[in-house]
Amino acid sequence: SLYIIVKLAKMSFKAHKRWFVQMVNLYFHTNDPSKRKAVQWFAKHDIALTQRNIEKEPLSAAEIQQLLTISLNGTDDLVSQRSRETKALKIDPDQMTLNELTAAIQKSPHILKNPIIFSENKLITGFDKEKMGLFISKQQRRIELKRLLQSFATPSPQAKPA
């Protein structure tokens, strides 16, 4: 019956839910240590990552607006106030319209922080080990915690009882 088919489909989905991975994107304009560390961190944690050089493949206006939408602090999260280009262009995001800021980012991607790492509803800039955990699923965190606790419970081979 249809009920049984739907029930089996739900069970199958739950059984294979662990294979559904969130898509994480990394936008960068410079291959600096922060970018390389972030890539290594995702590889170490087996998290799929899509990389994009925004100098070679500029962001569209819609993509810039999407980043602004998912950032918690808007332009403060994305625009690098310390970059030479931001200073040279005298860019003050607080004094610009959204269209002006979008055009400035498209023309000069170096005004953005590097790298920009985001998923559907999470965004961080730069590389910070503490913040990177944001991209580890709850299930993966539980697995890693279980392994860690097991390592404390299992006596090391070098330690011999007295």
Side-chain angles (χ1 to χ4, degrees), residues 99-135:
N99 288 339
E100 290 170 338
L101 180 61
T102 300
I105 291 170
Q106 286 177 312
K107 184 178 178 186
S108 307
H110 283 266
I111 67 174
L112 293 174
K113 293 181 180 178
N114 193 59
I116 298 171
I117 306 163
F118 67 99
S119 63
E120 188 176 323
N121 57 357
K122 303 169 191 167
L123 181 140
I124 63 171
T125 54
F127 176 77
D128 182 344
K129 262 187 181 177
E130 306 278 322
K131 294 179 183 176
M132 297 298 281
L134 186 69
F135 296 102

Side-chain angles (χ1 to χ4, degrees), residues 22-160:
Q22 68 174 333
M23 178 56 66
V24 178
N25 300 286
L26 183 143
Y27 290 168
F28 67 97
H29 52 70
T30 309
N31 190 18
D32 65 4
S34 292
K35 184 258 183 186
R36 291 190 300 272
K37 286 178 186 176
V39 171
Q40 290 171 350
W41 187 91
F42 282 106
K44 178 181 174 189
H45 289 86
D46 294 322
I47 297 174
L49 180 68
T50 301
Q51 298 180 55
R52 177 171 166 191
N53 183 334
I54 59 174
E55 258 188 340
K56 293 179 181 175
E57 268 185 80
L59 297 171
S60 69
E63 289 170 324
I64 293 167
Q65 290 173 10
Q66 177 200 12
L67 292 174
L68 288 166
T69 301
I70 60 176
S71 68
L72 293 176
N73 301 308
T75 57
D76 290 343
D77 284 345
L78 297 172
V79 177
S80 174
Q81 295 297 328
R82 297 183 302 168
S83 87
R84 279 182 266 145
E85 206 156 331
T86 303
K87 290 175 183 175
L89 295 171
K90 297 181 180 167
I91 291 177
D92 181 1
D94 297 331
Q95 302 301 316
M96 301 173 85
T97 67
L98 181 61
N99 288 339
E100 290 170 338
L101 180 61
T102 300
I105 291 170
Q106 286 177 312
K107 184 178 178 186
S108 307
H110 283 266
I111 67 174
L112 293 174
K113 293 181 180 178
N114 193 59
I116 298 171
I117 306 163
F118 67 99
S119 63
E120 188 176 323
N121 57 357
K122 303 169 191 167
L123 181 140
I124 63 171
T125 54
F127 176 77
D128 182 344
K129 262 187 181 177
E130 306 278 322
K131 294 179 183 176
M132 297 298 281
L134 186 69
F135 296 102
I136 297 177
S137 69
K138 286 182 183 178
Q139 183 179 3
Q140 186 62 33
R141 273 188 243 141
R142 285 187 194 118
I143 291 168
E144 289 183 17
L145 180 60
K146 187 176 179 179
R147 283 184 195 148
L148 180 64
L149 293 174
Q150 284 175 342
S151 72
F152 288 125
T154 308
S156 69
Q158 289 116 3
K160 293 182 182 180

Side-chain angles (χ1 to χ4, degrees), residues 1-9:
S1 82
L2 183 59
Y3 173 78
I4 293 172
I5 293 171
V6 170
K7 192 77 172 167
L8 287 172

